[in-house]
Structure formats: C-alpha cells, structure tokens
Amino acid sequence: MRLKSSIWVSAYLRRCQSEGIFGAVRRRGAEEAGAVFVKIALMNGNAMLYAPAPQAVYDDSRPIERVFVPSSSAPVAEQAVEERLAKEVGFDPDAWIVEIEDRAGRHFLDLAPS
C-alpha cells in the first residue's frame, strides 16, 4: 500500500524547506491516491515538470515509494509546463500540483531509471 498523497506531499514540502527551497501546493487532489505532479520553476521563465512514473516502473518490494519521470530532458518555457498541467487536471481531476522554486533545479524526487 502506497503512502497517501496528502502525507507524501506534506513530507516532500518539508524536505524541500529543510534545504531552504520554497515549495507550495498549487492544487490539492484526492487525499488518498491522487497523482502528484511536481513543477520546478527555475526562476528564469523556464521550468521542469515531473510526472508519476508508469506503474511498470515500480518496484514491488518497495510499494510505498513514489517514482517520477521528467516530462522533458531539459527545461522548457513555463507556459508549456502550465499547458501540460491544465491537460493533466482536465484528464484527472484528482491530481495534485506541487510547485518548487529553485534556480538550480533541485527536486529531491526518486526518478525512474531511464
């Protein structure tokens, strides 16, 4: 059983804050199992978006972990990220959106192997 989305988001934001990085919940999704999307704003008009990894990537021996994949290999214009997030929310109204502001692009997420 995976950790509830609300608890995971809270812990993730505390992790970022402990590193001196500002983060906030932009959109609350389903408490229990809403998909979590993380936008990293680079403070220069560009951003990165991290989406939940496909189920096939998850390790059955570690079911509580959340694994993410970047939506692009390099930063893109923030407007492109916002358009993608609007589509995701239209498709999945239970989705969460977390936004982090960090010029260095640090995210502290577990990424799926590429």
Side-chain angles (χ1 to χ4, degrees):
M1 179 119 209
R2 208 179 329 172
L3 203 56
K4 289 182 180 182
S5 296
S6 60
I7 294 171
W8 186 91
V9 167
S10 180
Y12 177 67
L13 288 173
R14 275 194 304 270
R15 167 73 167 106
C16 291
Q17 289 169 352
S18 74
E19 297 291 334
I21 297 170
F22 175 77
V25 175
R26 278 199 22 211
R27 184 177 196 287
R28 288 185 71 81
E31 287 285 312
E32 301 270 332
V36 179
F37 292 84
V38 179
K39 174 186 171 186
I40 309 296
L42 301 174
M43 312 303 291
N44 64 0
N46 293 320
M48 288 291 294
L49 178 63
Y50 293 89
Q55 286 295 105
V57 174
Y58 283 87
D59 182 350
D60 290 336
S61 68
R62 302 174 83 163
I64 65 165
E65 292 183 2
R66 290 182 183 254
V67 182
F68 292 83
V69 293
S71 63
S72 62
S73 59
V76 297
E78 276 197 70
Q79 184 59 35
V81 171
E82 291 300 324
E83 289 169 4
R84 167 80 188 272
L85 287 171
K87 287 180 187 177
E88 293 293 345
V89 170
F91 175 74
D92 180 7
D94 293 333
W96 289 73
I97 299 174
V98 176
E99 184 161 342
I100 304 300
E101 294 179 348
D102 186 52
R103 292 183 196 285
R106 295 173 293 170
H107 55 74
F108 311 110
L109 299 168
D110 291 325
L111 300 181
S114 39

